Amino acid sequence: MAKKMWAGRFEKATDETVNDYNSSLPFDSRMYAQDIEGSVAHSAMLARQGIISQEDADKIREGLLSIKADIESGKLTFDSDAEDIHMFIEEELTSRIGDAGKRLHTGRSRNDQVALDQRLYLVDEALDVIELLDELIETITDMAKEHLTTYMPGYTHLQRAQPITYAHYLTAYIEMFKRDRDRIEAAASRANISPLGSGALAGTTYPLDRESVAGELGMSGVTMCSLDGVADRDFAIEFASAISILMMHLSRMSEEIILYASQEFKFYELDDAYSTGSSMMPQKKNPDVAELTRGKTGRVYGDLISLLVIMKGLPLTYNKDMQEVQESLFDVIDTIKGVLPPFTGMMKTMTIRKDNMEAAALGGFTNATDLADYLVRKGIPFRETHEISGKLVHYCIENNTTLEKLSLDDFKKFSSLIEEDVYDAISLETCVNKRTLTGGPAPDTVKKYLDKE
Ligand code: ARG
C-alpha cells in the first residue's frame, strides 16, 4: 500500500477494513474532470500570485491534462488504494512530474476542493437535465397544438367534472415542467460559486486570488465565509428538492398514463416500442415506462431525505459524514437522466384516442354546470339553477340518457324558462369554447398560450 499523504503524525498503518470503509474513490471518481479543472485553475493562479513558479504551474497543467486524457482513453484506471479522487489524481500527478506535483495543494484543502468539485459537477449535470426536460416540454407542446379541439372530461376526485380539451390538459403539465426548469436553473446558479480559498475551514495565509479562479471556472462569484464554504451542502439538497418536485409531476402524469392506457379508459394506446408484454398473459401490454417513473419518484425522494438527514446534526464545519452526500446526489442525477428520455419517447409515440376522450366528455354530465349557468342567464339565481340542473341529471340517470338528448318538453317539466337555445348552450363545443378567460380551455386561449411557447 502506498504511503498516506497524511501519514506524518501516525505510527500505525490504517486497518484494511477502515481503508475500504473510508474510500470514496469508487463513487467520487466520476468527478475526475471537475477535480482536474479546479486544480488547473488553482495552480495557474498560484503562479500568477508568485506562490509557485510558472514552470511548476506549466508542469502541473500538462501533467493534469495527460492524466485526464489517460482516464478518458482507458489507459489509466481507478483501481488504486487512494482514499478518494483528489488523492488519486495528486498521487498520479506527483508520480508523473515529481516535486512540482507536491506544490499543487498549496493553499488548498480537500475540504474546499471537494466542495468545489461537487458544485462544478452539479452545474454540468443540471445543464444536461435541463436539456432533457426541454425536449419533454417541446414534445408535449407539439402534442397540445395538435389537440386544441380534442374534447375530454376534466376530473376532480377522478369523477368526470367539466369538459376540457386534451391541449388544455397538457398545458397544465407544460406549466409544471416550466416551473421545474426554473427551479433547477436557480439551484444550479446558486451552486455556481467557488469555495476555493476556504482551505480546511479558516481560509489561508497565502495571497490567493479567489475571484480569478472562480472566473476561470465559469463561476459567478466566491463563497463569503470560509466556514460555510466547506461546511454546507445545501446546493445538493436544493437540487435534489427541485428534482423531487419534477419527479412528483412526472409521477402524477405517469399515474394518468397508466389509467388512460387501461381498457377502462382507453384514452391512450402506448406504442409497442414503449410498452412491455407479460411472460404469462398473451394479451397484456403494460405501461412499464410510466410505472417505473412512478416508482423512481420514491427513490429520488429517498435520496432527498438521505441528504437532509445526513446534514441535519453536523457541527460546523467539515465532517466525514458529508462524503455520504455524494452518492445520494449522484443517484438523483442518474435517476432523472434515466427517466426523462424514455418518458419523452413514450409521450411522443403514443396514440391519442380522440374518439374515446370525446365520448367520455359527452357521457358524464360534464355540461351540468353549464346548464345551471344557462338558467342563470334566464334570470334564476344560481343556487336554484344548481338544484334544477341536479334534478335533470337525476332524471337522465333514471332514464338512461344524457342532458343534450332530452326533448324540450322534458326540459320544460323542470323549468318553463328553458328554450330551444339550451342545446347550443350545453353542447361540448360551447362549454369549452366559452371559457376564454386566461388559463381556460377555449381553443383560442390555449392556442395563444402555446404560440408563445
Ligand atoms: N473524500 C472526501 C469527501 O468526499 C474529501 C474530503 C476529505 N476531507 C477530510 N478532511 N478528510 O468528503
Side-chain angles (χ1 to χ4, degrees):
M1 168 147 326
K3 195 167 153 245
K4 293 262 187 317
M5 288 185 186
W6 38 253
R9 64 98 65 219
F10 287 78
E11 285 186 350
K12 275 191 186 172
T14 318
D15 188 85
E16 235 0 271
T17 61
V18 175
N19 251 330
D20 293 344
Y21 190 52
N22 208 21
S23 173
S24 53
L25 189 61
F27 51 87
D28 66 13
S29 54
R30 64 160 78 196
M31 299 191 300
Y32 74 88
Q34 289 76 17
D35 196 75
I36 288 173
E37 198 189 344
S39 291
V40 168
H42 177 70
S43 54
M45 178 274 294
L46 290 178
R48 280 199 302 279
Q49 298 299 99
I51 301 165
I52 63 170
S53 69
Q54 188 57 49
E55 198 191 332
D56 279 351
D58 291 343
K59 273 194 201 151
I60 290 173
R61 186 189 147 82
E62 268 161 47
L64 287 170
L65 294 182
S66 77
I67 290 173
K68 184 167 186 236
D70 289 351
I71 290 173
E72 284 167 1
S73 70
K75 213 153 116 196
L76 178 61
T77 54
F78 298 114
D79 55 357
S80 115
D81 52 21
E83 199 174 299
D84 53 30
I85 186 63
H86 326 294
M87 297 272 201
F88 174 86
I89 289 174
E90 201 184 317
E91 278 168 17
E92 181 64 29
L93 181 68
T94 303
S95 85
R96 289 187 185 201
I97 65 167
D99 273 358
K102 297 185 188 163
R103 299 210 161 87
L104 163 64
H105 210 51
T106 314
R108 191 176 70 169
S109 156
R110 270 185 302 154
N111 294 353
D112 54 358
Q113 185 179 1
V114 70
L116 174 79
D117 291 4
Q118 285 175 31
R119 286 170 180 272
L120 289 173
Y121 186 79
L122 186 154
V123 170
D124 287 346
E125 295 292 330
L127 291 177
D128 284 359
V129 174
I130 287 172
E131 205 173 294
L132 294 173
L133 183 56
D134 279 343
E135 278 167 36
L136 174 61
I137 295 174
E138 213 180 288
T139 297
I140 62 177
T141 303
D142 289 345
M143 289 168 76
K145 286 179 179 161
E146 297 287 307
H147 289 282
L148 288 167
T149 56
T150 300
Y151 300 106
M152 71 180 284
Y155 296 87
T156 61
H157 313 270
L158 199 58
Q159 304 285 326
R160 289 176 196 167
Q162 290 183 321
I164 56 169
T165 66
Y166 186 53
H168 190 228
Y169 164 85
L170 289 174
T171 300
Y173 283 102
I174 295 172
E175 282 289 282
M176 295 179 227
F177 293 144
K178 277 169 52 189
R179 288 195 297 276
D180 290 324
R181 186 191 198 285
D182 285 353
R183 271 186 284 267
I184 296 167
E185 230 166 33
S189 84
R190 234 188 306 279
N192 198 24
I193 53 171
S194 172
L196 278 192
S198 301
L201 77 160
T204 170
T205 54
Y206 294 102
L208 304 186
D209 179 356
R210 298 188 62 204
E211 284 75 12
S212 76
V213 175
E216 207 160 307
L217 294 171
M219 301 182 107
S220 62
V222 299
T223 53
M224 285 299 159
C225 172
S226 62
L227 306 175
D228 177 50
V230 296
D232 211 346
R233 295 292 183 268
D234 57 353
F235 58 87
I237 297 175
E238 190 177 350
F239 178 77
S241 341
I243 302 298
S244 293
I245 299 174
L246 166 59
M247 288 300 304
M248 181 269 291
H249 290 146
L250 288 166
S251 186
R252 292 184 77 171
M253 198 173 200
S254 294
E255 172 66 17
E256 287 167 339
I257 290 165
I258 295 158
L259 282 171
Y260 292 176
S262 72
Q263 292 303 305
E264 283 67 20
F265 274 85
K266 275 199 194 164
F267 289 179
Y268 290 160
E269 273 165 24
L270 297 181
D271 193 80
D272 280 0
Y274 287 89
S275 34
T276 55
S278 153
S279 57
M280 186 180 193
M281 300 164 284
Q283 84 283 11
K284 289 299 282 295
K285 188 167 167 184
N286 296 330
D288 286 24
V289 172
E291 289 173 321
L292 274 172
T293 304
R294 197 174 51 182
K296 287 185 189 291
T297 304
R299 175 182 182 138
V300 171
Y301 290 1
D303 291 327
L304 171 63
I305 297 298
S306 294
L307 290 169
L308 287 165
V309 179
I310 290 165
M311 294 303 295
K312 78 178 258 292
L314 301 186
L316 298 185
T317 53
Y318 177 84
N319 301 268
K320 193 69 174 231
D321 315 44
M322 287 154 70
Q323 183 163 284
E324 292 291 308
V325 163
Q326 299 183 40
E327 277 175 294
S328 297
L329 173 64
F330 297 158
D331 193 62
V332 169
I333 292 167
D334 294 345
T335 306
I336 189 62
K337 284 176 81 174
V339 162
L340 286 168
F343 191 90
T344 301
M346 167 181 61
M347 291 303 297
K348 208 179 261 180
T349 53
M350 68 191 188
T351 306
I352 310 303
R353 290 292 302 267
K354 227 173 138 139
D355 51 345
N356 292 334
M357 284 185 174
E358 225 158 281
L362 281 167
F365 302 105
T366 58
N367 49 3
T369 312
D370 289 83
L371 177 57
D373 290 342
Y374 164 82
L375 287 167
V376 167
R377 289 197 295 277
K378 299 280 176 187
I380 311 173
F382 181 73
R383 270 295 150 241
E384 281 174 38
T385 68
H386 183 282
E387 168 97 13
I388 299 169
S389 179
K391 285 192 169 142
L392 273 155
V393 168
H394 185 73
Y395 177 82
C396 288
I397 293 169
E398 303 241 289
N399 293 281
N400 196 23
T401 184
T402 56
L403 291 169
E404 60 283 354
K405 287 194 195 131
L406 291 178
S407 69
L408 194 53
D409 284 346
D410 278 340
F411 272 123
K412 290 226 184 259
K413 280 184 214 152
F414 293 83
S415 169
S416 59
L417 292 178
I418 299 180
E419 302 291 343
E420 192 61 39
D421 59 351
V422 71
Y423 296 104
D424 183 51
I426 63 168
S427 78
L428 213 46
E429 289 75 15
T430 309
C431 294
V432 171
N433 298 359
K434 284 253 169 87
R435 289 185 156 74
T436 55
L437 289 184
T438 303
D444 281 350
T445 309
V446 175
K447 186 176 182 318
K448 243 180 254 157
Y449 168 85
L450 293 171
D451 285 346
K452 271 196 241 137
E453 280 310 288

